[in-house]
Amino acid sequence: MQRLSIDTIISKIQNEEIFHAVAEDYSLTLKIDKYVHYACGAIHDGHQFRKELWDNCMHTEYERWYEEDPETKHMIISHPIVIAGCDSRFEYDLNRAHEDAVFETAWGKELWHKPLSEEMKAKSLEKHYNFYKVTHALISKLEEKFGVCIVYDMHSYNWKRWDREVPTWNLGTSNVDNDRFGDDIELWRQWLSEFKFPHEIKSTAKINDTFYGNGYFLKFITKNFRNTLVLATEIAKVYCDEYDYVIYPEVVASVEAQLRIKLPEHAAHFYKKYAK
């Protein structure tokens, strides 16, 4: 892996180079092993939190971890193109628009002892801006090269906080073209429902049951690229104990192994259907 500037990362994408990179400010990683018609994203995987913000933050490290999506990058790491955020969404949220990306409150609780200065906000927002410069360059190249593209937007959610039964997998589709891509969405839902987990964890999959696909990553790509489908794919945190702060690596490994097979199969089905 190389440490590269944002401009260099974009130049390498435009030149169709193979590379693994971390941004100079360590805000994002991008690996491209091969240029293919699909990409994977894990924008909430990051847990880094700028040290100069620590004393001013009211939330504990555990509270931040609880609302992040740990291990989602690991679940998709074997795929040819993976873009991931390195920073905690408590510094800036890549799944919110630029103007809303730095929180003042988070999940009903004040975030800062003292309001952030404009300088502090600007440091975070520059990283948000750069992530989307890279995303735009990446999807532009894939649409240019293949005509169509599919993005698997991996997230997780805290299933124990719900007071009803919720699915193991949720697909949020309210901001994609369901008339055009409905069959592809349903096929992905069906395949996810057939996953096998350790410890008799059941796999159920629903559409717009807990979340609706309102994230900025999906909206940004959908708005700017007519022939790219973004599948906002949320896994319930059955792969960890969200209250005791424990990851179950054997469950993570199981998810990764099955996505390694099923995700490219789904992407190939999509490409065969829409490529001209």
Side-chain angles (χ1 to χ4, degrees):
M1 178 176 283
Q2 302 169 280
R3 186 180 69 180
L4 301 174
S5 70
I6 295 298
D7 287 344
T8 302
I9 290 172
I10 291 172
S11 177
K12 284 181 174 291
I13 293 169
Q14 291 169 341
N15 293 327
E16 295 185 24
E17 295 183 39
I18 302 304
F19 66 100
H20 291 199
V22 61
E24 281 183 329
D25 59 7
Y26 296 97
S27 61
L28 67 89
T29 60
L30 173 63
K31 77 152 188 165
I32 302 180
D33 290 330
K34 181 181 179 182
Y35 284 82
V36 294
H37 52 275
Y38 74 96
C40 298
I43 63 173
H44 282 160
D45 182 77
H47 187 60
Q48 290 178 167
F49 195 63
R50 286 206 328 262
K51 190 174 182 180
E52 63 183 344
L53 299 174
W54 291 2
D55 291 343
N56 193 32
C57 183
M58 292 185 180
H59 288 241
T60 65
E61 181 182 10
Y62 164 73
E63 288 173 314
R64 296 196 300 271
W65 175 87
Y66 179 78
E67 301 295 353
E68 295 159 355
D69 297 347
E71 300 294 335
T72 48
K73 179 181 175 181
H74 190 159
M75 293 174 188
I76 53 175
I77 198 61
S78 61
H79 299 283
I81 302 175
V82 179
I83 187 168
C86 299
D87 296 314
S88 173
R89 65 193 302 193
F90 281 76
E91 182 185 343
Y92 59 97
D93 194 332
L94 288 169
N95 221 20
R96 300 200 183 189
H98 190 80
E99 61 272 17
D100 298 320
V102 175
F103 299 160
E104 294 180 3
T105 62
W107 289 272
K109 178 181 174 181
E110 291 290 327
L111 186 52
W112 311 110
H113 292 288
K114 295 179 181 179
L116 293 182
S117 67
E118 291 305 311
E119 179 185 4
M120 289 287 193
K121 291 179 183 178
K123 286 183 180 181
S124 297
L125 291 174
E126 182 179 12
K127 294 189 280 188
H128 184 281
Y129 175 73
N130 284 337
F131 181 90
Y132 279 97
K133 282 180 64 178
V134 173
T135 296
H136 194 279
L138 176 62
I139 305 305
S140 293
K141 172 54 66 176
L142 298 183
E143 273 208 5
E144 171 195 316
K145 189 170 178 65
F146 298 102
V148 295
C149 178
I150 186 166
V151 177
Y152 297 88
D153 177 19
M154 286 296 300
H155 294 270
S156 64
Y157 77 95
N158 298 300
W159 67 277
K160 291 182 179 180
R161 76 189 338 167
W162 291 76
D163 60 2
R164 63 174 174 87
E165 186 173 356
V166 291
T168 318
W169 301 93
N170 179 84
L171 302 182
T173 68
S174 63
N175 287 287
V176 299
D177 188 341
N178 285 270
D179 291 335
R180 183 182 182 189
F181 298 123
D183 289 346
D184 311 283
I185 294 166
E186 172 55 26
L187 180 62
W188 188 230
R189 185 209 64 78
Q190 178 187 330
W191 284 6
L192 291 172
S193 74
E194 297 169 356
F195 270 48
K196 305 297 183 185
F197 288 92
H199 316 308
E200 299 184 351
I201 298 170
K202 65 181 179 179
S203 190
T204 57
K206 294 186 178 181
I207 296 172
N208 298 327
D209 184 83
T210 50
F211 298 93
Y212 301 93
N214 289 322
Y216 184 68
F217 186 63
L218 180 152
K219 288 181 177 179
F220 174 87
I221 296 173
T222 301
K223 178 181 178 181
N224 286 284
F225 300 97
R226 187 174 63 86
N227 292 315
T228 296
L229 169 62
V230 183
L231 288 174
T233 303
E234 301 251 5
I235 183 171
K237 288 182 179 174
V238 295
Y239 64 89
C240 69
D241 189 314
E242 63 198 58
Y243 292 145
D244 286 344
Y245 202 174
V246 175
I247 297 288
Y248 307 145
E250 77 281 20
V251 181
V252 175
S254 173
V255 174
E256 188 279 325
Q258 292 174 85
L259 286 176
R260 193 188 316 158
I261 297 168
K262 285 298 186 182
L263 195 153
E265 288 182 2
H266 184 267
H269 184 277
F270 176 87
Y271 185 69
K272 183 178 180 181
K273 182 176 179 181
Y274 294 104
K276 295 179 180 179

